Amino acid sequence: RRAGAGLRQCGFAHRHSGTRRCRQQSGQMMRTRLWRRLSWAASAALLLSGLLWLLNTRDETTPAGQPQAIHSAALLERGEYLSRAGNCMSCHTVPGGAPYAGGRGIDTPFGTVFSSNLTPDRDTGLGNWSPSDFWRALHNGRSKNGQLLYPAFPYTSYTQVSRADSDALHAYLQSLPAVAARPPAHTLRWPFNTQAALAVWRALYFSPGSFVPEAVQSAEWNRGAYLVRGLGHCSACHSARDALGGSSPLDLAGGLIPMQNWYAPSLSAKNEAGLADWPVGEVVTLLQTGVAPRASVLGPMAEVVLHSTQYMSPADLRAMAVYLKGLPHTDTLAPDLPSAARGPRATALATSSSARAGAQLYENHCAQCHGDKGQGVAGAYPALAGNRALSMPATTNLVQIVLYGGYAPATAGNPRPYGMPPFMLVLSDSEIANLLTYLRSAWGHQAGEVSALDVNRARSGAQR
């Protein structure tokens, strides 16, 4: 019995010892796997950080300090012209405030960005900025202190501006009266208010570049392309943005202007704002005066003409017209209105109760200016029959105009523009929806209906 007990104890000890060794080996294997995973994660993070650093320092040079130069009158005049072409004052001036002193809030889906002071104040403006510092901001989207700039400042387009034009712009801004005005701090949500988030955004959407003329195109076309893609930054409004606010600087296919509830129509689609079949002279007239035989500008585009394009030279406006006319032709189509169903759908819509109610509203409120058949009055009230604004898939602008009214810009060629009165206190949401539904089905138009919900969203300031 004693021998048997000893053997059992020995066997138990042996099994217990083996279990301990097994547990120790298992624990060692788990620790090894954990360290291996941590090592891989650390390596991946290091590689990602290095990639982000490389993507955010492409084509970068450290600006060297430069003494303040004495600029010629011709250079200052050119800089002022370029500031007009870039519409710099609109964003960098608070309504009623000192020109170029910054502080204007630019609403974005991620919060509000406040524009910087461009006057030569040494503490709050560009007084300590060299021409190279300024060039770095335009070309690389980086501030004097090295911080990444928010893309509300459209450096994704300005990166194509030439160094000579950048230097002329800088010289003009340095000649302005210095205004001590520090803009408010940005009110962006986390993580969009961090440099790390900006670095990721830039890695996804931004690459420094320069304008390269296309050899197969004329000098005039290339000049227009340079202005539209660069200083004009037309794609800032006329291109769609994804959930992170990214877009292509070469895309002019139309898009909703963030937080403004206006739609910037496609500049290549014939049924929106495409110009392929327009005479060059009419395009020039529209950009110069805000009105043309086939269209007039309202909303944000009226501000562009008011502060920018009306001051540009006829040669540059013609170059822009030539470029815009040459954009690849596309067409947009409302997803709820397939081409095969246009005829029957349009007939049914035109005879609907909504359209009938809208016809009565048109007779009561609109026909006295726009005519019984939508023919308008030349030089005063635009024709509605055949008007592309009524047939576009996006109805945002129509709702905005009827609700809040609008004026073409006051320009040298159109100093006393006629305006559209607001109807937000006159017509209900359903009445405006009925009116627009009628207009979108009358006089040969074949567009979809407008709902009271669409009007209510615009009235409340919500985006579609």
Side-chain angles (χ1 to χ4, degrees), residues 188-207:
L188 295 165
R189 300 191 307 276
W190 188 90
F192 306 109
N193 58 348
T194 65
Q195 288 285 292
L198 266 178
V200 172
W201 189 93
R202 287 164 54 98
L204 293 172
Y205 300 110
F206 175 63
S207 177

Side-chain angles (χ1 to χ4, degrees), residues 64-396:
Q66 295 172 270
Q68 189 68 35
I70 298 176
H71 303 298
S72 67
L75 184 67
L76 297 180
E77 182 180 356
R78 174 150 185 79
E80 181 178 15
Y81 177 82
L82 294 170
S83 76
R84 292 282 196 182
N87 200 18
C88 304
M89 189 169 66
S90 287
C91 286
H92 290 272
T93 304
V94 174
Y100 296 97
R104 180 170 179 175
I106 301 169
D107 293 327
T108 77
F110 316 106
T112 302
V113 176
F114 292 91
S115 60
S116 56
N117 182 351
L118 299 184
T119 74
D121 181 71
R122 299 186 68 84
D123 295 324
T124 63
L126 302 183
N128 291 318
W129 284 49
S130 69
S132 293
D133 294 326
F134 188 73
W135 160 254
R136 188 188 193 191
L138 267 62
H139 188 67
N140 298 99
R142 196 179 290 272
S143 183
K144 175 180 170 65
N145 61 8
Q147 283 195 316
L148 304 178
L149 298 173
Y150 290 100
F153 172 65
Y155 58 82
T156 51
S157 296
Y158 289 167
T159 188
Q160 298 201 38
V161 173
S162 69
R163 178 61 192 262
D165 282 351
S166 172
D167 287 350
L169 262 173
H170 177 264
Y172 169 68
L173 295 174
Q174 292 294 313
S175 73
L176 297 173
V179 179
R182 193 176 302 279
H186 305 315
T187 55
L188 295 165
R189 300 191 307 276
W190 188 90
F192 306 109
N193 58 348
T194 65
Q195 288 285 292
L198 266 178
V200 172
W201 189 93
R202 287 164 54 98
L204 293 172
Y205 300 110
F206 175 63
S207 177
S210 58
F211 179 76
V212 179
E214 296 188 19
V216 297
Q217 299 289 353
S218 66
E220 188 174 47
W221 185 97
N222 277 301
R223 175 63 178 171
Y226 173 75
L227 291 168
V228 169
R229 297 176 185 176
L231 272 178
H233 61 282
C234 301
S235 65
C237 291
H238 289 276
S239 63
R241 296 183 179 274
D242 60 23
L244 295 179
S247 67
S248 168
L250 300 181
D251 177 20
L252 297 173
L256 190 69
I257 303 176
M259 310 308 290
Q260 292 192 35
N261 218 28
W262 281 88
Y263 173 72
S266 168
L267 296 176
S268 58
K270 183 178 180 180
N271 62 333
E272 291 203 2
L275 301 170
D277 60 346
W278 278 42
V280 169
E282 286 190 16
V283 183
V284 172
T285 298
L286 184 66
L287 294 174
Q288 195 170 52
T289 68
V291 293
R294 307 187 193 202
S296 59
V297 299
L298 297 173
M301 189 61 196
E303 186 175 350
V304 172
V305 174
L306 177 66
H307 296 296
S308 178
T309 57
Q310 72 161 313
Y311 298 102
M312 296 179 68
S313 69
D316 276 350
L317 292 179
R318 180 180 171 84
M320 292 172 67
V322 168
Y323 172 73
L324 292 172
K325 278 176 59 64
L327 290 174
H329 174 74
T330 61
D331 266 324
T332 54
L333 180 65
D336 65 336
L337 193 61
S339 56
R342 281 179 181 267
R345 174 71 177 275
T347 302
L349 184 61
T351 58
S352 67
S353 59
S354 177
R356 290 196 302 272
Q360 186 61 53
L361 289 166
Y362 179 82
E363 182 180 342
N364 295 341
H365 298 283
C366 313
Q368 57 185 329
C369 291
H370 294 285
D372 294 335
K373 297 182 180 180
Q375 71 273 21
V377 177
Y381 308 114
L384 300 181
N387 193 316
R388 293 186 297 184
L390 288 166
S391 300
M392 288 194 303
T395 61
T396 305

